[in-house]
Amino acid sequence: MGTMQEDEGLGYGSSLPVPSVQEIVRNDAQNIPERYIKNLDERPKASDISSISDDIPVIDLSLLVKGDEDERSKLDAACQKWGFFQIINHGADGVLTRMKAAMADFFDLPLSEKKKYGMATNDVQGYGQGYVVSDDQKLDWNDLLFLIAMPPESRNIKYWPLTIPGFKEAVEEYATELQRVSDEIFANLSLLMGVDKDFLKQLHGDVKQGIRMNYYPSCARPDLVLGVSPHSDASSITLLLQDDDITALQIMHEGIWVPVNPIPTALVVNIGDAMEAWSNGKYKSIEHRAVTDVEKPRMSAAAFVIPANDVELNPLKTMVDHHLQPRIFKDGVKYIEYLRYTLAKKMEGKLANIEYLKLNN
Ligand SMILES: O=C(O)CCC(=O)C(=O)O
Ligand SMILES: [Fe+2]
């Protein structure tokens, strides 16, 4: 997109303004407004939830850095079978703590302060809610602050709460560390896809990192609402920092929702739609959602690794083989075209989006 003009937005799309859920709960914690009550078939049900959380793969980044081939094979299996894994020994523990504190400081601000960073009508950056495209759409039980954090020249500083001491430094440091972690993952995935170590990193072009900071207030009726509706991420990969004491993220695995139990200091990583297309469907971008807790609010920060606008989502040549891996994804769709397509719709699960990238569509 070239250099960003102030106030011009990102050109990704926009979302309609909605009330702050945190404020709704502060005023009346017992009553759930109609707009947040999901239709019966979308509500989280205990019977849809699996108990195999401990099977979600855990990858040791320090082993990947050393070139450990067993760990690389584990990563390969994780991306194929789960599309989700947790990363430990990433060397960024202190940074994660500071990032959590910065987020907490932001959501603790009075509403009138937070509104100063409100999403403009032509943008997805800022304080508000994402994917709101119509006035009668059901809403998710969260508030968010979305910032483009990398590269530094893409930041739109009007959305950054610079009055909070240390906020900018914490987000900067966090984004820098996450770039190091994601580069290591890309290097390993490149080798697994049969291309040079640097291939995937370079394929992104001028890569961006967008951080979505989520605040999920406690909810008197977690059975009626969702913190985030089922969706897949349009990123290449996403790295998620979540609170340690509540299990709320759930991933769709073999037809059932599997909760992702937090491992203190771990990052949750998932394959996004762009990587699924580049890998010709070998690595899976998995549908996920977040539920709410009756007592505790929860925070998370999802860092989306975003390819440059003009990058095409063609499957890598090494991932297409007439006999063994017939082509599933088409050539020629630019990333920005796909991103605009996904952001213009309400979240309605993964299939609706990624079908756009497949052959015969
Ligand atoms: O908060 C979570 O656990 C999930 C957030 C998420 O999926 C997202 O922001 O894309
Ligand atoms: Fe997500």
Side-chain angles (χ1 to χ4, degrees):
M1 100 180 44
T3 49
M4 179 131 2
Q5 298 292 309
E6 188 126 48
D7 299 331
E8 204 180 55
L10 283 166
Y12 288 175
S14 58
S15 186
L16 295 172
V18 292
S20 153
V21 186
Q22 195 178 358
E23 215 53 27
I24 291 173
V25 174
R26 187 172 289 155
N27 293 329
D28 177 2
Q30 292 313 309
N31 182 40
I32 314 292
E34 188 59 35
R35 255 183 117 179
Y36 297 86
I37 300 181
K38 298 285 177 183
N39 297 327
L40 261 179
D41 56 340
E42 293 170 340
R43 294 180 195 167
K45 285 185 273 301
S47 59
D48 292 344
I49 293 170
S50 153
S51 58
I52 58 166
S53 302
D54 292 344
D55 296 352
I56 297 173
V58 177
I59 304 286
D60 184 333
L61 195 80
S62 69
L63 293 176
L64 292 183
V65 171
K66 281 189 201 140
D68 186 298
E69 293 194 4
D70 289 342
E71 204 64 11
R72 194 181 303 143
S73 305
K74 246 173 95 177
L75 176 69
D76 186 44
C79 296
Q80 286 189 58
K81 291 195 194 126
W82 289 88
F84 263 85
F85 51 94
Q86 303 212 47
I87 285 261
I88 55 166
N89 294 334
H90 45 59
D93 294 11
V95 181
L96 302 194
T97 309
R98 289 191 284 283
M99 179 67 189
K100 282 184 180 175
M103 275 199 285
D105 287 348
F106 174 74
F107 288 107
D108 273 350
L109 292 175
L111 182 64
S112 56
E113 276 299 306
K114 282 182 286 205
K115 278 192 161 164
K116 292 181 181 163
Y117 312 101
M119 265 176 208
T121 48
N122 63 347
D123 209 342
V124 294
Q125 288 187 93
Y127 174 63
Q129 232 192 55
Y131 300 93
V132 183
V133 294
S134 89
D135 286 326
D136 51 24
Q137 176 188 333
K138 293 287 183 189
L139 299 177
D140 288 341
W141 199 256
N142 84 17
D143 297 336
L144 64 86
L145 174 65
F146 183 72
L147 298 176
I148 296 290
M150 286 290 195
E153 59 272 21
S154 289
R155 292 178 191 155
N156 190 340
I157 225 67
K158 76 170 179 178
Y159 294 115
W160 291 56
L162 300 179
T163 52
I164 299 175
F167 181 94
K168 181 164 181 274
E169 292 73 16
V171 175
E172 246 163 17
E173 186 186 34
Y174 180 72
T176 306
E177 286 295 281
L178 260 54
Q179 202 154 348
R180 175 180 59 78
V181 172
S182 55
D183 285 350
E184 189 59 44
I185 295 169
F186 292 142
N188 278 271
L189 291 179
S190 295
L191 295 175
L192 289 165
M193 291 193 203
V195 289
D196 287 346
K197 217 170 175 204
D198 294 333
F199 189 92
L200 282 173
K201 182 178 167 154
Q202 284 169 3
L203 180 59
H204 284 79
D206 290 329
V207 65
K208 289 196 192 59
Q209 191 187 123
I211 305 185
R212 175 177 159 156
M213 298 168 219
N214 296 298
Y215 182 90
Y216 305 97
S218 60
C219 181
R221 294 292 305 274
D223 56 321
L224 300 180
V225 310
L226 282 172
V228 180
S229 296
H231 67 282
S232 66
D233 295 342
S235 55
S236 62
I237 62 170
T238 304
L239 302 100
L240 182 93
L241 170 65
Q242 59 168 340
D243 276 347
D244 294 338
D245 52 348
I246 302 173
T247 299
L249 172 64
Q250 300 178 345
I251 65 178
M252 181 44 80
H253 178 74
E254 295 177 355
I256 192 158
W257 291 106
V258 182
V260 180
N261 291 333
I263 300 175
T265 78
L267 286 164
V268 178
V269 178
N270 65 283
I271 296 291
D273 297 343
M275 190 66 76
E276 177 165 337
W278 286 337
S279 73
N280 193 30
K282 183 175 183 194
Y283 297 141
K284 304 290 188 305
S285 171
I286 293 297
E287 204 179 343
H288 52 285
R289 69 180 188 185
V291 296
T292 60
D293 188 85
V294 75
E295 275 170 9
K296 291 184 183 161
R298 169 175 177 264
M299 275 178 284
S300 71
F304 304 104
V305 181
I306 305 171
N309 289 348
D310 289 343
V311 171
E312 295 185 349
L313 299 177
N314 314 343
L316 304 195
K317 289 195 179 68
T318 50
M319 299 306 288
V320 179
D321 177 295
H322 287 314
H323 302 293
L324 298 173
Q325 292 172 308
R327 169 190 282 273
I328 301 174
F329 287 88
K330 59 188 168 193
D331 283 347
V333 181
K334 287 192 167 43
Y335 187 69
I336 185 71
E337 175 187 342
Y338 182 61
L339 193 59
R340 283 192 185 133
Y341 170 78
T342 65
L343 287 169
K345 299 161 65 212
K346 69 186 173 86
M347 288 187 175
E348 40 189 7
K350 162 193 164 65
L351 293 175
N353 283 345
I354 206 160
E355 285 305 309
Y356 185 83
L357 296 174
K358 292 190 175 169
L359 285 176
N360 310 318
N361 277 300

